[in-house]
Amino acid sequence: MIDKRTNAYAGSSRFYDVKPTQHNLTLGYTWYGQQFHGTGLNKHCKYLLFDFAFGNGFERVEFAADTTNLRSVAAMKSIGCTEEGVLRSNIIRLDGSRRDTIILSMLKDEWENNLRQKLENKL
């Protein structure tokens, strides 16, 4: 992603684990340079990604994060995602320790009925 205000490379986010026949996908692998934290860039990007996914036949957008990544979990909750649960000890980290993964999601009807407008109001 490029921040249009500064014309600087800001970070990345993407769809993955796309399941067209199930109308589900996962949004993640998101990171931003520290100077872009708290600028609203993530909310803007997530708005566009949700609008694209839900406007193109997807019914569910899922997120997964390490439970210790409090910034990411807070960001997902602030845009309206619902916490679904925690997968315990499901991934081995690079240092060999095991992580717990929190799963959050947003559904198309939630987006269309109120979360789109709520996120627009934050932009």
Side-chain angles (χ1 to χ4, degrees), residues 64-118:
D66 189 319
T67 56
T68 64
N69 187 345
L70 301 179
R71 176 182 294 275
S72 184
V73 173
M76 291 182 281
K77 288 180 178 182
S78 79
I79 59 175
C81 292
T82 299
E83 182 177 338
E84 295 186 341
V86 174
L87 303 175
R88 299 177 305 142
S89 190
N90 76 310
I91 294 177
I92 299 172
R93 293 184 183 103
L94 293 175
D95 68 3
S97 65
R98 298 195 64 88
R99 90 172 204 186
D100 294 340
T101 302
I102 187 169
I103 305 296
L104 300 99
S105 70
M106 185 181 293
L107 305 178
K108 182 177 183 177
D109 66 327
E110 295 168 337
W111 176 250
E112 291 176 343
N113 291 332
N114 72 340
L115 293 179
R116 173 193 277 140
Q117 188 60 53
K118 277 183 151 178

Side-chain angles (χ1 to χ4, degrees), residues 3-15:
D3 180 0
K4 289 185 176 183
R5 293 175 299 168
T6 64
N7 203 32
Y9 184 64
S12 177
S13 193
R14 67 177 181 166
F15 295 131

